[in-house]
Amino acid sequence: DIVMTQTPLSSPVTLGQPASISCRSSQSLVHSNGNTYLSWLHQRPGQPPRLLIYKISDRFSGVPDRFSGSGAGTDFTLKISRVEAEDVGVYYCMQMTEFPWTFGPGTKVEIK
Amino acid sequence: EVQLVESGGGLVQPGGSLRLSCTVSGFNLRSHWMNWVRQAPGKGLEWVGNIEHDTNEKQYADSVRGRFTISRDNAKNSVFLQMDSLRAEDTAVYYCATVVPGAVDSWGQGTLVTVSS
């Protein structure tokens, strides 16, 4: 199975400041079709997850442009350019390149 | 508006069975892979399995293979998760979600399954 790791696991951030989360996979996420199926999800307390970014850097419909994704192969990053109060919660990376699909452990973002 | 509503959760004894339903609206279920993801209390997300839209081929996580079965009834706009031989470690909120190429894009609110004697 592909193991996903995230750093940090907890991130106190200041409103209006940038934030960054790293995700690493135990093997390359490049699919045989050339796509890389790495996505980012955000979960607020008591809510289901919601999709932010897919295929490394494509923003899902309605996601603010302060969220961006980057990376390749086994190393990926989610960046928030200016953190807003509604951005608190847990962020997960997820790979869909190979079954079983797997998630990272989550990074908890909270306001300082 | 895309909506997914899970139902069927509850308290069940170890070794028992439960059938979850996911009723969808706002999109054509026939065109979508569907999957189930679970989240144990206070823990992260775990993919359970999915069902393809055209072949009805299914994939499962090792932790549930042989005990859980995913099915769908497109005419009833529903997807199901039959859970047998339940264990305490299956206690979780179970989410159904739509799958598009490279993403799990729309999620239901989830239904809680508690396995306990």
Side-chain angles (χ1 to χ4, degrees), chain B:
Chain B
E1 181 191 2
V2 172
Q3 285 197 320
L4 301 92
V5 179
E6 302 92 340
S7 60
L11 175 64
V12 61
Q13 293 190 336
S17 298
L18 213 53
R19 187 189 195 216
L20 306 184
S21 299
C22 173
T23 303
V24 309
S25 60
F27 67 98
N28 184 358
L29 181 61
R30 287 181 171 81
S31 302
H32 282 74
W33 286 33
M34 295 293 294
N35 75 165
W36 290 91
V37 173
R38 68 183 181 183
Q39 186 169 36
K43 302 297 184 183
L45 302 169
E46 180 188 13
W47 176 76
V48 172
N50 66 17
I51 182 167
E52 299 184 16
H53 68 285
D54 48 0
T55 64
N56 272 353
E57 188 173 340
K58 302 142 194 171
Q59 294 84 22
Y60 297 98
D62 289 345
S63 57
V64 307
R65 188 176 294 113
R67 300 186 300 122
F68 289 13
T69 304
I70 299 174
S71 61
R72 61 194 295 156
D73 185 336
N74 291 332
K76 294 184 177 179
N77 289 319
S78 294
V79 182
F80 306 100
L81 180 64
Q82 176 67 40
M83 304 185 295
D84 299 318
S85 303
L86 282 160
R87 307 166 180 166
E89 54 265 35
D90 296 318
T91 294
V93 173
Y94 284 75
Y95 297 101
C96 72
T98 57
V99 179
V100 295
V104 179
D105 62 336
S106 297
W107 297 66
Q109 290 294 313
T111 186
L112 176 62
V113 172
T114 303
V115 184
S116 175
S117 54

